[in-house]
């Protein structure tokens, strides 16, 4: 995994936006896999800004979101549908039919997952999968113990995820216990993966993901097996990494060689 450390979430968000914007400019019909949560808010803000101020065109971009809570309808303000509308979709020109988010209110979640997975395949697969990470190392809602090879599926949420996401629901009791998530197998088929992690609360999960064994106990560790994964970290999220000095050295070397590699 390529490790790039930024001083804080702001500069990390700028770096992430530069990567996503470059992907859209290089391939206007790019297929993006997108996360929710607090970490990517600055990324979405910068993408909206690039659309408004720099003419970044999303008209041929296709997006597939990673996950959604089971039981929430797309117009529920706590749903990831609402989150995506608020932070990205209402502000850029992605045609409605090209923005895909799992439907947590569907009657047959199993069938819906299979259709969602088929939709990703029909779109030609995900070119760039942007990811956050849970405090327990989850990707999307692939919790510890998840299959490292699964496609889109229904999953139970781990207690620590329910606790971490309670802020959006008022109290823990109101957090749904099930979710639809794109699986780790699908994530691993993406051509590039961009993991974003900020804050000290993520430092242990980041260390396990980057330097620990590849294990379902830390789902994000599967990215060590990905041929083109980059971890964008802020200083706080990187602070438990054992080989931090080496990653910094490597980063300086890459930055110096950037136009020759
Ligand atoms: C949520 C989402 C994940 C997200 C993670 C981190 O549970 N399902 O896709 O990456 O938690 O969220 P945050 O960025 O708010 O820390």
């Amino acid at each position: 995994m390529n490790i790039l450390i930024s001083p804080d979430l702001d500069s990390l968000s700028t770096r992430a936006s530069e990567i996503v914007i470059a992907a859209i400019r290089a391939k206007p019909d790019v297929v993006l896999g997108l996360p929710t949560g607090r970490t990517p808010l600055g990324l979405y803000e910068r993408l909206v800004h690039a659309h408004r101020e720099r003419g970044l065109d999303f008209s041929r971009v296709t997006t597939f979101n990673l996950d959604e809570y089971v039981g929430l309808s797309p117009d529920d303000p706590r749903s990831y549908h609402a989150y995506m509308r608020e932070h990205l979709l209402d502000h850029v020109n992605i045609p409605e039919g090209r923005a895909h988010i799992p439907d947590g209110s569907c009657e047959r979640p199993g069938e819906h997952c299979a259709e969602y997975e088929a939709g990703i395949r029909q779109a030609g697969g995900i070119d760039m999968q942007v990811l956050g990470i849970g405090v327990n190392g989850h990707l999307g809602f692939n919790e510890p113990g998840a299959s490292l090879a699964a496609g889109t599926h229904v999953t139970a949420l781990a207690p620590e995820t329910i606790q971490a996401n309670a802020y959006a629901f008022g109290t823990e009791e109101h957090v749904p216990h099930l979710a639809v998530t794109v699986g780790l197998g699908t994530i691993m088929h993406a051509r590039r993966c961009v993991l974003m992690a900020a804050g000290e609360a993520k430092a242990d999960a980041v260390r396990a993901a980057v330097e620990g064994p590849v294990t379902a106990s830390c789902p994000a560790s599967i990215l060590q097996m990905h041929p083109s994964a980059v971890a964008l970290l802020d200083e706080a999220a990187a602070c438990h990494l054992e080989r931090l000095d080496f990653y910094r050295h490597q980063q300086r070397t890459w930055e110096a060689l950037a136009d020759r590699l």
Side-chain angles (χ1 to χ4, degrees):
M1 217 183 308
N2 194 345
I3 313 294
L4 296 178
I5 300 162
S6 304
D8 50 29
L9 179 56
D10 249 11
S11 45
L12 186 165
S13 303
T14 300
R15 196 188 280 271
S17 70
E18 285 165 356
I19 292 173
V20 175
I21 291 168
I24 297 172
R25 294 217 196 274
K27 188 178 180 206
D29 61 348
V30 69
V31 179
L32 299 175
L34 296 178
T36 48
R38 286 168 285 198
T39 313
L41 288 173
L43 163 64
Y44 293 140
E45 205 176 288
R46 285 158 179 76
L47 293 181
V48 170
H49 184 265
H51 172 67
R52 286 189 178 149
E53 309 296 328
R54 292 160 54 196
L56 183 67
D57 181 21
F58 286 82
S59 64
R60 295 170 60 202
V61 171
T62 298
T63 62
F64 286 92
N65 262 76
L66 271 174
D67 45 21
E68 180 60 286
Y69 295 102
V70 166
L72 297 193
S73 74
D75 48 16
D76 189 308
R78 301 160 305 175
S79 69
Y80 286 158
H81 278 79
Y83 171 104
M84 289 308 293
R85 283 195 302 271
E86 180 182 349
H87 298 294
L88 184 71
L89 300 174
D90 282 354
H91 313 290
V92 299
N93 63 331
I94 303 178
E96 212 180 305
R98 285 186 179 270
H100 307 273
I101 305 170
D103 182 354
S105 66
C106 63
E107 296 228 328
R108 297 173 190 275
E111 274 173 32
H112 178 60
C113 290
E115 282 164 18
Y116 199 76
E117 194 64 32
I120 294 175
R121 267 198 309 277
Q122 273 158 23
I126 291 169
D127 291 305
M128 178 172 282
Q129 176 67 61
V130 184
L131 297 156
I133 185 171
V135 285
N136 61 3
H138 78 202
L139 293 182
F141 277 129
N142 292 278
E143 302 285 26
S147 160
L148 298 178
T152 304
H153 62 284
V154 176
T155 178
L157 300 191
E160 55 278 12
T161 299
I162 291 175
Q163 200 181 7
N165 292 2
Y167 71 91
F169 293 86
T171 63
E172 280 183 37
E173 297 85 77
H174 292 108
V175 182
H177 283 215
L178 292 176
V180 172
T181 186
V182 169
L184 296 171
T186 316
I187 291 170
M188 288 299 284
H189 277 114
R191 289 170 194 97
R192 289 169 75 190
C193 287
V194 179
L195 177 71
M196 302 173 71
E200 204 176 340
K202 301 291 173 67
D204 285 337
V206 165
R207 178 166 178 207
V210 173
E211 296 178 330
V214 174
T215 165
S217 298
C218 176
S221 65
I222 189 71
L223 293 175
Q224 293 176 35
M225 303 287 289
H226 195 283
S228 183
V230 58
L232 307 181
L233 311 176
D234 73 352
E235 290 286 350
C239 73
H240 291 175
L241 289 172
E242 213 164 84
R243 292 171 65 81
L244 192 50
D245 289 343
F246 172 66
Y247 305 135
R248 289 192 204 285
H249 164 70
Q250 205 172 35
Q251 182 170 345
R252 282 193 297 271
T253 313
W254 279 323
E255 282 167 353
L257 291 176
D259 48 355
R260 282 188 277 152
L261 287 176

